[in-house]
Amino acid sequence: MESFPVIDLEKLNSEERGITMAKIKDACENWGFFELVNHGISHQLLDNMERLNKEHYKKCMEQKFKQMVASKGLEATQSEINDIDWESTFHLRHLPVSNISEVPDLEEDYRKAMKQFALELEKLAELLMDLLCENLGLEKGYLKRVFYGSNGPTFGTKVSNYPPCPKPDLIKGLRAHTDAGGIILLFQDDKVSGLQLLKDGQWVDVPPMRHSIVINLGDQLEVITNGKYKSIEHRVIAQADGNRMSIASFYNPGSDAIIYPAPELVEKEEKGQVYPKFVFEDYMKLYTGLKFQAKEPRFEAMKTIESSINLGPIATV
């Protein structure tokens, strides 16, 4: 099988720009995932985030996770578990309004570093959106405008740790799913693996790589591109050794953004418009209960409410 796509973003500013854009296009069309190096986020900030995250887990999360495991008898299970994940998580919101100052148990250094990290990821997400527009033949800024809604995009981070698991054959770190939103930017452990994506019917490892950012595309980009790009099913395999760190940030449409296939792309397709038009918040309400099920029935369900949506002008950002 071909190797997992790794994109050197620095090459966009060189004579290799055309080759690099072609690699991004191929990754979006055939993988739904790719790994970025030389992405502009300082290694010092990434190292600091990793250190602070691991310290926070030890101090504030590890004991809670052990209590949860004990309360559910997970270590003693003899049969496969399909309704719970072997992960310790908490969530942070950056846009439209940050809640970092309100989240308990975070050291001030963690809050400061996370705010800086989120700003850098936001810039990277917006750069990627414009690169996708360029590859798709859409006007620069089109994706950003569609995502904007009335109050701008939603942007948040899921901070996860996947501790050593005594029964990795019986419980997943995170069950298989596609992501609901737009662009997902993952800073993951560079030593402990576990993330896998489904390609051509086979599970493929996403390689841990120091100081890289893993990108994957969510359901909304599948809709907007009328299926030219696909959100890809992925999962986390629990490991018997090592505590895997995962800091996944989700750059999503605003809650009232109206999502629909880009007319320019539909015009080029003989099959016409394949995906429905809907309000992002309505999709999220549906997704919450169906995350670990196939995405196609979610798209079909949104078609039933499509006729009630009026498509106004896209916001000017």
Side-chain angles (χ1 to χ4, degrees):
M1 182 178 280
E2 61 208 295
S3 58
F4 186 85
V6 178
I7 313 288
D8 184 344
L9 269 195
E10 267 189 355
K11 291 185 176 178
L12 288 173
N13 301 314
S14 73
E15 66 278 2
E16 292 185 56
R17 177 181 171 83
I19 295 170
T20 304
M21 290 298 291
K23 284 183 177 179
I24 294 171
K25 182 173 185 286
D26 180 74
C28 289
E29 290 181 354
N30 297 308
W31 288 81
F33 269 79
F34 51 95
E35 201 151 3
L36 294 179
V37 296
N38 295 320
H39 40 62
I41 301 176
S42 80
H43 291 181
Q44 182 180 358
L45 177 57
L46 293 174
D47 289 342
N48 200 29
M49 280 304 309
E50 181 173 359
R51 176 183 61 80
L52 290 166
N53 181 68
K54 290 180 175 178
E55 288 175 359
H56 177 73
Y57 175 75
K58 277 285 184 193
K59 182 179 178 183
C60 301
M61 305 291 289
E62 186 173 40
Q63 194 55 38
K64 292 178 187 174
F65 180 75
K66 287 178 178 177
Q67 289 169 355
M68 184 277 290
V69 168
S71 70
K72 296 183 181 299
L74 297 182
E75 290 187 327
T77 186
Q78 299 299 317
S79 57
E80 189 171 0
I81 294 175
N82 294 310
D83 61 351
I84 195 167
D85 302 305
W86 189 270
E87 64 172 357
S88 168
T89 68
F90 65 97
H91 296 81
L92 300 167
R93 185 180 66 247
H94 312 300
L95 294 174
V97 179
S98 172
N99 71 344
I100 291 178
S101 62
E102 301 157 23
V103 176
D105 300 330
L106 293 182
E107 299 283 350
E108 193 55 36
D109 284 353
Y110 192 113
R111 296 182 208 273
K112 285 175 63 176
M114 179 57 82
K115 284 180 181 177
Q116 181 60 38
F117 186 49
L119 285 173
E120 297 290 338
L121 288 174
E122 184 185 348
K123 286 191 289 186
L124 181 56
E126 291 181 353
L127 168 64
L128 289 168
M129 298 258 274
D130 280 341
L131 296 177
L132 297 192
C133 283
E134 186 176 335
N135 271 337
L136 289 162
L138 296 171
E139 178 189 358
K140 183 178 181 180
Y142 178 84
L143 288 173
K144 187 177 178 184
R145 290 195 297 274
V146 170
F147 274 41
Y148 199 82
S150 60
N151 294 304
T154 52
F155 184 41
T157 296
K158 177 187 175 188
V159 181
S160 306
N161 283 270
Y162 298 91
C165 179
K167 301 285 180 72
D169 53 328
L170 296 179
I171 185 168
K172 297 286 186 295
L174 180 59
R175 288 160 285 167
H177 64 287
T178 64
D179 289 324
I183 289 183
I184 297 84
L185 308 98
L186 169 68
F187 176 40
Q188 67 166 346
D189 205 290
D190 65 331
K191 297 180 181 65
V192 183
S193 62
L195 178 61
Q196 297 182 328
L197 64 93
L198 190 63
K199 179 170 171 55
D200 302 327
Q202 292 186 304
W203 288 104
V204 178
D205 290 329
V206 177
M209 187 180 297
R210 188 156 173 75
H211 297 139
S212 72
I213 300 290
V214 177
I215 305 298
N216 72 283
L217 309 181
D219 294 348
Q220 307 312 301
L221 286 175
E222 179 168 337
V223 172
I224 293 168
T225 64
N226 204 37
K228 190 172 182 67
Y229 296 167
K230 297 281 201 303
S231 59
I232 298 298
E233 200 171 341
H234 54 285
R235 67 184 185 183
V236 176
I237 296 298
Q239 305 288 354
D241 300 303
N243 186 352
R244 177 178 176 268
M245 176 197 75
S246 164
I247 303 177
S249 297
F250 299 80
Y251 189 94
N252 292 343
S255 59
D256 65 350
I258 297 174
I259 305 301
Y260 57 97
E264 277 188 69
L265 300 182
V266 174
E267 287 166 9
K268 298 174 186 176
E269 300 264 358
E270 284 184 25
K271 61 188 178 183
Q273 181 172 326
V274 177
Y275 293 81
K277 177 173 65 183
F278 52 81
V279 177
F280 178 60
E281 186 175 33
D282 291 339
Y283 187 84
M284 287 305 298
K285 287 175 183 174
L286 183 70
Y287 177 86
T288 302
L290 302 173
K291 174 177 178 176
F292 299 110
Q293 297 179 30
K295 63 186 172 182
E296 289 79 11
R298 298 198 293 263
F299 295 144
E300 287 301 314
M302 297 315 294
K303 287 180 181 178
T304 64
I305 61 170
E306 181 174 7
S307 60
S308 66
I309 297 170
N310 293 315
L311 182 59
I314 296 175
T316 302
V317 182

